[in-house]
Structures are given as structure tokens and as C-alpha cells.
Amino acid sequence: MQFARIGGVTLHYQMVGDPAVKPLIVFVNALGTDLRIWRDVIVRLVGDYAILAYDKRGHGLSDVGTTPYTIETHAQDLAGLLDQIGAKQAIVCGVSVGGMIAQALSARRPDLVRALVLCDTAHKSGTPQMWAERISAVEAGGIASIADTILERWFTPAFRETADCEGYRNMLVRQPAAGYAATCAALRDADLTEIARAIAVPAICIVGEADGSTPPALVAEFAKMVPNARFELIRRCGHLPSIEQPETLTQIIRAFLALVAEEQAGAVRH
């Protein structure tokens, strides 16, 4: 395990490979999850890319720190982590709130971002009332009190019948309640519309056809907002494609990055 002190909190991360030798992909997690959600994608990419996965503050083995958070708080943490490992021009792959963190990072520190892979995310999520109600529920009864509803939004009915789903339920309910609620507050207050419209790096927006948290119509609308963004729909998949459809997600990422490399090489030649 690896830890770094960033912005007054200790962040847990895992670095595989050397970003000075291979292109770096950074994976940013969803609300209520930790870096383990990316395992089945990482194992398919390792060797061809350097990989950085981490637990954002308030999740996994990272500190909770001062609450509540903003999306900018999370973006500052990621910028600090990338600075500490000496990385530049990373491919940032974020899911759900992780995708919003990726967008904020691209606006705050464009020197750190080469391309964006935005999974099941948008420029804003839910309503202030929805997030306020969720915070109240977590403060009153813990994450377990809302876990079944969250899993219905995360996963297809078929996946919810598997033992794997029970494992991810354990992951969800074992996250720090204070960190979960603080990130709900960040989502409540976030509107990245102007940031999305100004994204200047290659981007792809990906969504599961059965996503109950960021429905395909919302992500399609978001993709139209991002300049020159590509859009991909994954069949038989909910909100977390790295869990339900890791092979398909990996194929999409590889194809997108091949196009990015080709386009950037062409720009250099010209």
C-alpha cells in the first residue's frame, strides 16, 4: 500500500508502472466506493500503461479530513497527488463523482490532463433536495439505511442476484459515513456546466444503458455539451461499467486512446 500527505489529509493510492516510460491513466472512484472498483480494468491495461488508482478523501483508506467537501476540494487533492509523483499529461478516467473531479482537474490544472474518459457522469447530478435528503438519511441511519436503493441504481437486476453484488454492498456500507455525506454535499453544490463547455482535451462520455444514477439521456446531453466529445453506450450495464462490463469498458478506453494518440501525432507532424 502507498500513502501520500496531500492538502492536510493522507490519501491511499496504488501506482503501477512508471509514468516517465508509459502513458499514465488515473482512475477516480464513484461515491461510496474505493479504488478496488477498477481492478478488472487495470489488469487488462497494466503493462501498456502506467496506472494510478487512489481513494479520494473520505473513502477507502484515505483520511476524512475537514468536512463538507466541494468538487474543487477533491480536484485539489488529485492535483497534489499527481504533483507529488511527478506526473504530467495524464489520461484521467473518472466514474460518477470521479468524472466530475476529472472535469474540475482539467479546468484547474490543464497541464496535468491529456485526455478525459468520463464514465456515467455529467456536468451536474441530482437536485439539492435529493442530496440533502440523502445526507440526512446517512446521518440518521448510516449508509446501510440507503444501501439497497443505491445498489438498485448502480447495478442491473441480473447483477444484483450475484454474490459479487453482496461484496460491493459491503464496500459501500463500510465507507466512512462522514466522508460519504461530505461528498454528497459536494455533489449537491456542483454545477460544472461552464467547465464542461470549455473542456479543451479529447474526451469520451460513456454510460451503461441501465444506469439509474446518471441515465443515458443525461450523459448524452452532457456529451453534446463537451466540445468534440465522443459518446458510447454499454449494453447490459448499470452505473459502474468497471464492475459489470470491464472487458467492454477496457476495449472502449483502448480504442479511444489509440485515436487520441493518432490525432496528437498528426498535429505534431503538421
Side-chain angles (χ1 to χ4, degrees):
M1 292 188 291
Q2 298 162 288
F3 295 91
R5 190 74 173 166
I6 305 292
V9 300
T10 296
L11 298 181
H12 172 231
Y13 72 98
Q14 292 181 356
M15 184 78 209
V16 182
D18 185 350
V21 176
K22 301 281 187 180
L24 174 64
I25 303 181
V26 180
F27 290 102
V28 195
N29 310 325
L31 174 67
T33 71
D34 58 46
L35 59 78
R36 291 173 292 181
I37 67 169
W38 298 106
R39 177 193 176 279
D40 290 342
V41 173
I42 290 172
V43 296
R44 291 173 166 86
L45 293 171
V46 70
D48 295 325
Y49 296 91
I51 305 290
L52 173 64
Y54 77 106
D55 296 335
K56 62 184 172 291
R57 68 166 65 197
H59 290 71
L61 299 183
S62 293
D63 286 347
V64 172
T66 302
T67 63
Y69 313 145
T70 64
I71 296 298
E72 181 69 11
T73 304
H74 287 301
Q76 288 174 356
D77 287 346
L78 180 51
L81 182 57
L82 289 169
D83 283 340
Q84 185 155 314
I85 67 173
K88 296 286 185 183
Q89 291 294 290
I91 300 142
V92 185
C93 178
V95 62
S96 195
V97 68
M100 299 179 81
I101 294 167
Q103 294 173 62
L105 179 70
S106 73
R108 178 180 178 79
R109 291 288 304 276
D111 59 305
L112 296 177
V113 181
R114 176 185 177 190
L116 293 170
V117 179
L118 303 171
C119 300
D120 300 81
T121 192
H123 51 296
K124 56 184 176 179
S125 175
T127 65
Q129 180 180 350
M130 183 201 85
W131 290 115
E133 290 173 353
R134 189 177 298 189
I135 291 168
S136 294
V138 169
E139 290 175 343
I143 298 173
S145 69
I146 61 170
D148 291 341
T149 299
I150 299 304
L151 293 173
E152 288 177 3
R153 293 174 178 170
W154 276 5
F155 299 124
T156 60
F159 189 85
R160 293 201 303 272
E161 296 298 320
T162 68
D164 286 359
C165 185
E166 289 303 310
Y168 286 106
R169 187 184 196 280
N170 290 339
M171 175 186 288
L172 170 63
V173 302
R174 292 173 186 175
Q175 299 301 314
Y180 185 96
T183 302
C184 287
L187 286 160
R188 177 196 64 200
D189 299 338
D191 184 345
L192 305 185
T193 301
E194 296 309 314
I195 285 176
R197 288 174 174 160
I199 289 173
V201 296
I204 186 168
C205 302
I206 303 166
V207 65
E209 67 173 343
D211 188 334
S213 294
T214 49
L218 173 62
V219 179
E221 175 190 348
F222 169 61
K224 291 177 183 178
M225 186 180 298
V226 178
N228 302 310
R230 295 169 172 84
F231 175 78
E232 287 282 349
L233 182 73
I234 301 180
R235 304 291 180 186
R236 301 179 302 282
C237 187
H239 185 59
L240 300 174
S242 62
I243 294 172
E244 283 203 78
Q245 297 288 348
E247 184 171 355
T248 300
L249 178 60
T250 304
Q251 290 171 349
I252 291 170
I253 291 172
R254 283 189 178 277
F256 170 65
L257 295 183
L259 286 172
V260 169
E262 182 179 328
E263 290 171 357
Q264 292 179 342
V268 170
R269 287 195 297 269
H270 288 89

